[in-house]
Amino acid sequence: MTTARELQFKSINYTGLGAGPRLIVTGAVHGNETCGTKAILRVMGEIDSGALHVAAGSVTFVPVTNPLAYALEQRSGERNLNRNLFPNPQPQDFEDRVANWLCPLLAQHDVLLDLHSFNAQSEPFVMVGPRNNEGALQPFRHAEQERALARRLGVRRFVDGWLATYGEGVQRRLKSGDASTLNLVLRYGMGTTEYMRSTGGYALTLECGQHLDPAAPEVAYRAIVNTLAFLGLIDAPRPEPIALDRMEALSMVAVHDKLDAGDRFSRVWSSFDRVSKGEQIGTRADGTPVLAEFDGKILFPAVNAEPNTEWYYLTRAITDFERFAD
């Protein structure tokens, strides 16, 4: 049986002779999401063989970010690494120890590409960060660069609004008005990309497909190579952005909680299923129907959610993604 004591952390860096940005690519943040690991090992093999050449800047690969979860072939080791990701001087679990190694490593880089997969059958998508802002929740100044890179990954679906929408749900759930409690719980929404942005860089989470989809490692591989080319790290043509008329851009704008163990969905929902205003999404334990408040698409429906936690998100189409066209 694998124990945390037997494990170690591993990253591999390639640095070119020319000046350029510092990229980090991570796989297996969740141990059962292995498409990124396979793609990273494939790219490293091509660099080692000379098929790809890092000419400028640097790239660091982390094929297995959470070795305990990876060894156990499950999402987490002792908790979800992609939540509450901060250095902890008094680590309480294995994922805290990962964070104490990973967070300083992220801070040494300018750009993060984090490779994931998901449960349900659906097409790949990329999670992007907020618009440029000076707000307290997630101040940011690289929206143009981040979204320009997102359009070169090779997928057509884009989603933003995670932390702001998550934060609204947290504020609604908290009975106390204690700001310190609110900030502590909001930290739980911070994962790899949010931490990377907090260090002054920019970051994308690419969901490459269903966990066992044989095409998912190819999606991850194409995204890595396109990123290397777009940032000018390898000698390769700069990839063209996906055409605006082929894109689907969505923003998470509402989160609805499961209030009681008896709350039920009206049918089996999958992420990106379309909903119409007034359509019944579920039923509360007391028989009250739960209706969609606007036309949109459902995201992350959690049939096994616990009471007083996120049940599902609703997204709305983004109409001004063309502002980040170049």
Side-chain angles (χ1 to χ4, degrees), residues 73-94:
E73 299 181 351
Q74 61 190 34
R75 179 176 175 83
S76 302
E78 297 175 351
R79 68 167 178 87
N80 186 351
L81 176 62
N82 217 22
R83 298 289 185 271
N84 197 29
L85 184 72
F86 288 94
N88 188 339
Q90 296 180 314
Q92 302 300 305
D93 49 44
F94 183 78

Side-chain angles (χ1 to χ4, degrees), residues 176-232:
S176 165
D178 182 351
S180 63
T181 301
L182 174 62
N183 289 336
L184 180 65
V185 179
L186 279 175
R187 281 168 61 105
Y188 186 74
M190 299 287 284
T192 54
T193 52
E194 290 79 21
Y195 187 83
M196 186 70 188
R197 295 184 193 109
S198 77
T199 70
Y202 62 95
L204 296 169
T205 296
L206 178 61
E207 298 281 356
C208 300
Q210 201 275 337
H211 297 320
L212 301 179
D213 186 345
E218 182 65 31
V219 172
Y221 169 81
R222 182 177 63 221
I224 297 171
V225 174
N226 284 3
T227 298
L228 292 170
F230 179 68
L231 296 177

Side-chain angles (χ1 to χ4, degrees), residues 19-293:
R22 299 164 298 175
L23 169 68
I24 182 168
V25 184
T26 51
V29 164
H30 296 132
N32 61 336
E33 300 177 15
T34 61
C35 59
T37 303
K38 294 171 183 174
I40 287 171
L41 295 176
R42 178 180 171 187
V43 172
M44 286 173 51
E46 293 184 359
I47 295 173
D48 291 341
S49 72
L52 290 175
H53 172 64
V54 178
S58 72
V59 56
T60 299
F61 293 109
V62 184
V64 178
T65 308
N66 189 334
L68 179 58
Y70 185 79
L72 296 173
E73 299 181 351
Q74 61 190 34
R75 179 176 175 83
S76 302
E78 297 175 351
R79 68 167 178 87
N80 186 351
L81 176 62
N82 217 22
R83 298 289 185 271
N84 197 29
L85 184 72
F86 288 94
N88 188 339
Q90 296 180 314
Q92 302 300 305
D93 49 44
F94 183 78
E95 276 74 7
D96 281 351
R97 290 171 170 80
V98 179
N100 285 344
W101 165 74
L102 179 62
C103 290
L105 184 62
L106 292 174
Q108 296 169 21
H109 295 80
D110 305 307
V111 186
L112 164 67
L113 176 62
D114 190 19
L115 301 166
H116 288 255
S117 58
F118 46 81
N119 272 320
Q121 291 292 341
S122 187
E123 69 177 273
F125 66 98
V126 58
M127 298 284 292
V128 299
R131 307 298 175 93
N132 292 334
N133 73 94
E134 300 294 334
L137 180 64
Q138 193 177 193
F140 192 51
R141 57 187 176 85
H142 297 300
E144 291 83 3
Q145 298 97 311
E146 188 176 277
R147 294 179 184 225
L149 174 58
R151 293 184 58 212
R152 270 80 177 184
L153 294 186
V155 302
R156 69 170 197 93
R157 181 174 273 164
F158 307 81
V159 179
D160 74 5
W162 155 251
L163 195 58
T165 307
Y166 173 83
E168 290 175 5
V170 168
Q171 294 184 62
R172 184 177 64 242
R173 279 175 222 118
L174 283 176
K175 307 297 189 226
S176 165
D178 182 351
S180 63
T181 301
L182 174 62
N183 289 336
L184 180 65
V185 179
L186 279 175
R187 281 168 61 105
Y188 186 74
M190 299 287 284
T192 54
T193 52
E194 290 79 21
Y195 187 83
M196 186 70 188
R197 295 184 193 109
S198 77
T199 70
Y202 62 95
L204 296 169
T205 296
L206 178 61
E207 298 281 356
C208 300
Q210 201 275 337
H211 297 320
L212 301 179
D213 186 345
E218 182 65 31
V219 172
Y221 169 81
R222 182 177 63 221
I224 297 171
V225 174
N226 284 3
T227 298
L228 292 170
F230 179 68
L231 296 177
L233 272 61
I234 60 173
D235 294 319
R238 203 169 189 249
E240 291 295 321
I242 186 171
L244 290 169
D245 61 2
R246 290 188 56 213
M247 289 173 45
E248 180 180 30
L250 302 167
S251 188
M252 300 170 69
V253 295
V255 55
H256 293 267
D257 297 343
K258 192 171 189 176
L259 303 180
D260 186 279
D263 293 351
R264 294 286 183 267
F265 284 124
S266 59
R267 68 176 180 85
V268 176
W269 293 99
S270 296
S271 286
F272 304 107
D273 281 346
R274 188 179 302 278
V275 297
S276 301
K277 182 178 180 179
E279 182 176 356
Q280 186 165 351
I281 293 175
T283 305
R284 296 295 183 190
D286 64 2
T288 303
V290 179
L291 308 178
E293 61 265 46

